[in-house]
Amino acid sequence: SQTIHQWPATLVQPVGSPLSLECTVEGTSNPNLYWYRQAAGRGLQLLFYSVGIGQISSEVPQNLSASRPQDRQFILSSKKLLLSDSGFYLCAWRGNYEQYFGPGTRLTVT
Amino acid sequence: AQKVTQAQTEISVVEKEDVTLDCVYETRDTTYYLFWYKQPPSGELVFLIRRNSFDEQNEISGRYSWNFQKSTSSFNFTITASQVVDSAVYFCALSEYASGGSYIPTFGRGTSLIVHP
């Protein structure tokens, strides 16, 4: 069966510090992968998606970037965090048509 | 462009009541997919159901049932005899067929369901 992992679970970072969030999927090959952010108020904002290694599509211009160095690894990064980057970050992979989400990372930028 | 509307921001019920969460969608495609997800307080979104545009059969899974009506562009979700554990935010989503396989879904803003004991 497929499993999706995200870490860390929670993170508190000062403004201006770098960020690296990692997501890995097990039990499937060449999955479509997605990064979402959920700020207070519940809405899901798609940040990046990837249909294969090295292929990244950005949905929202911002100070975040994503990379897919391996088939089942998806990384979200920032060189300098802003206060507005605080939120709940979710990684997902696509099954047949639905998405399966990881446990999420709660990021607080102070 | 696709759009999903969940007009109910928050619903509060007492345990054992039935509750229906509404979802209305817009799409120009004839082939599309509809989904419901549950987000409990822990935060992880859990996939509940997928419906294809060419399959209007309603579905029942235990206390959960889904009513898909293309004529009204709605995909409503009913919980029968609600329980406290049903308290969560529920998201409806729509995905159109996309060449290249990207399948980017559009999510509604979610409905927060609070079930009181």
Side-chain angles (χ1 to χ4, degrees), chain A residues 8-21:
Chain A
T10 59
L11 194 58
V12 180
Q13 293 283 96
V15 168
S17 63
L19 173 73
S20 181
L21 302 181

Side-chain angles (χ1 to χ4, degrees), chain A residues 6-85:
Chain A
Q6 275 188 254
W7 63 91
T10 59
L11 194 58
V12 180
Q13 293 283 96
V15 168
S17 63
L19 173 73
S20 181
L21 302 181
E22 190 163 341
C23 169
T24 60
V25 182
E26 295 177 357
T28 185
S29 59
N30 197 31
N32 283 13
L33 296 172
Y34 307 80
W35 276 113
Y36 288 88
R37 178 169 61 199
Q38 189 177 32
R42 287 202 308 270
L44 284 166
Q45 179 186 34
L46 178 64
L47 302 175
F48 302 94
Y49 69 91
S50 171
V51 298
I53 295 175
Q55 300 178 63
I56 308 295
S57 296
S58 173
E59 291 293 301
V60 182
Q62 56 211 332
N63 69 320
L64 299 173
S65 62
S67 62
R68 186 168 176 175
Q70 299 180 37
D71 182 39
R72 288 168 286 179
Q73 184 184 32
F74 204 20
I75 298 172
L76 182 69
S77 305
S78 174
K79 291 182 179 178
K80 288 185 178 182
L81 283 169
L82 306 173
L83 284 174
S84 58
D85 291 323

Side-chain angles (χ1 to χ4, degrees), chain B residues 43-102:
Chain B
E44 180 176 345
L45 267 82
V46 178
F47 165 68
L48 295 177
I49 190 173
R50 179 190 84 215
R51 248 323 172 234
N52 307 329
S53 56
F54 43 86
D55 181 6
E56 278 195 82
Q57 270 194 332
N58 293 327
E59 182 153 339
I60 298 175
S61 176
R63 296 184 297 106
Y64 294 174
S65 62
W66 291 269
N67 183 358
F68 176 28
Q69 290 194 337
K70 289 177 74 170
S71 60
T72 56
S73 297
S74 64
F75 186 40
N76 296 338
F77 174 25
T78 297
I79 301 175
T80 303
S82 59
Q83 299 176 2
V84 173
V85 293
D86 296 326
S87 297
V89 179
Y90 291 86
F91 290 92
C92 181
L94 164 71
S95 184
E96 296 171 341
Y97 173 77
S99 61
S102 55

